[in-house]
Amino acid sequence: MLEPELVRRLERYRLGGKDTATSLRRGPHASRRTGRGMVFADYRDYREGDDLQTVDWRALARLDRLVVRLALEERERPLYLLVDASASMRFGSPSKWQAASRCAAALAHVALADLDRVTLFASRSGLREFGPLRGRQLTHEVIAFLAAISPDGPTDLAAALRAVLSRPRGTGLFVLISDFLDPAGAEPALGLLAGRGHDVVVMHVLSGADRDVPDAGELTLVDAESGETFAQSLSPAVAAAYREAFDAFAGDVEAACARQGCRHLRVDADDAQADAWLRDLVRLRVLV
């Protein structure tokens, strides 16, 4: 899932994001809280009871009054990974599930190596939760958790997110990885995340096998999740219309992300080993 060369590349990065850390646990990220830390924030006048170690004695010489140096406290930034493990993720060769697992494991490794806490969720006929984990030596447990899952069941991202959000959790980086072949569409699920304080990143996994159909012939289409069948006679016009509709679907997911304030990138399952998704994560400053 993560070959040594990719692991070496991942060692260069840490979690980035739009927001500062808000966890109460100490970690490597600057938070909004002022207190002890390495990142300077501001000065304020000394008040009775302040720790004398925070007094800036050089400023006393310049200003002729006692001032306290404030720093941004460093906190950990939790990483939450929700991976769609519905039956449609089995599709393709390599499968969309293989691509999604690779992306999830890579992000988890970056966070664990930086001593951030990682919690994984797999949406598969219900919700499976693994973690929270902390420590770079636990990457192999993340890989084992993902490798043991066989995608199955219907896609219901909103139900999965309601289950995740039903418990109080510190805000952090929330990454949703899915093919979004959800009858309800992307908007209801993304709307549940809006206003929760998380920095949300959506990785839309697409497979050429989803988009490409022959220009002629008789097909029997089978829904991977419901088992429903549909017979279709193909012609160049029908095939072109299908590809146009699929591209519009992908565009709708991207537009929903924009409306809900989520960063969005597409992951090509057919080319996941080339790691274009990693370059996109860096471009979007999900990794820095």
Side-chain angles (χ1 to χ4, degrees):
M1 196 177 292
L2 297 181
E3 66 274 9
E5 175 56 30
L6 177 57
V7 171
R8 283 192 290 271
R9 292 174 63 194
L10 293 172
E11 297 290 336
R12 308 172 191 168
Y13 301 112
R14 65 189 305 195
L15 295 182
K18 298 178 179 178
D19 247 332
T20 52
T22 58
S23 169
L24 296 179
R25 299 178 184 271
R26 290 196 175 275
H29 302 282
S31 74
R32 291 191 181 93
R33 296 171 179 268
T34 54
R36 294 196 177 197
M38 299 297 293
V39 182
F40 172 73
D42 202 354
Y43 290 109
R44 66 165 171 78
D45 288 335
Y46 175 83
R47 295 196 291 259
E48 185 176 354
D50 283 339
D51 188 342
L52 289 176
Q53 294 183 38
T54 64
V55 172
D56 190 323
W57 300 105
R58 293 183 179 179
L60 171 62
R62 296 195 313 271
L63 304 174
D64 197 28
R65 74 176 194 272
L66 287 175
V67 294
V68 170
R69 182 184 175 91
L70 300 177
L72 293 176
E73 289 188 351
E74 293 174 330
R75 302 289 180 179
E76 71 175 14
R77 189 160 192 251
L79 171 65
Y80 304 103
L81 289 158
L82 174 56
V83 190
D84 178 2
S86 61
S88 64
M89 294 292 285
R90 294 196 304 258
F91 206 53
S93 182
S95 71
K96 290 180 284 185
W97 173 250
Q98 288 174 293
S101 296
R102 181 175 173 84
C103 295
L107 283 166
H109 177 71
V110 171
L112 291 170
D114 211 26
L115 299 182
D116 285 316
R117 291 184 185 269
V118 176
T119 307
L120 288 95
F121 307 92
S123 174
R124 175 192 178 276
S125 300
L127 188 73
R128 294 184 61 183
E129 180 174 345
F130 186 57
L133 309 171
R134 188 179 189 189
R136 63 183 302 136
Q137 72 279 9
L138 297 179
T139 297
H140 71 281
E141 294 193 19
V142 170
I143 291 173
F145 169 76
L146 293 168
I149 294 174
S150 177
D152 194 23
T155 305
D156 192 341
L157 295 174
L161 280 165
R162 279 192 290 269
V164 171
L165 299 172
S166 65
R167 290 177 51 191
R169 305 176 192 272
T171 58
L173 180 62
F174 197 110
V175 181
L176 173 58
I177 307 175
S178 174
D179 62 3
F180 286 93
L181 295 178
D182 187 332
E187 198 92 44
L190 298 178
L192 291 172
L193 284 169
R196 296 283 184 149
H198 295 293
D199 181 8
V200 181
V201 175
V202 169
M203 302 183 75
H204 186 185
V205 184
L206 300 169
S207 170
D210 284 328
R211 183 182 186 276
D212 298 332
V213 294
D215 284 337
E218 300 293 325
L219 286 185
T220 299
L221 306 175
V222 182
D223 189 305
E225 298 181 0
S226 70
E228 182 180 356
T229 61
F230 177 75
Q232 176 66 53
S233 296
L234 291 176
S235 66
V238 170
Y242 171 80
R243 287 189 285 268
E244 183 178 344
F246 186 85
D247 291 341
F249 152 72
D252 287 345
V253 173
E254 185 170 1
C257 290
R259 286 192 294 270
Q260 299 296 341
C262 311
R263 283 177 289 173
H264 166 277
L265 68 148
R266 297 181 186 179
V267 177
D268 182 354
D270 301 330
D271 204 24
Q273 292 293 123
D275 300 331
W277 52 269
L278 179 56
R279 293 189 291 274
D280 285 339
L281 288 172
V282 175
R283 175 179 58 81
L284 293 172
R285 297 193 62 76
V286 179
L287 299 179
V288 295

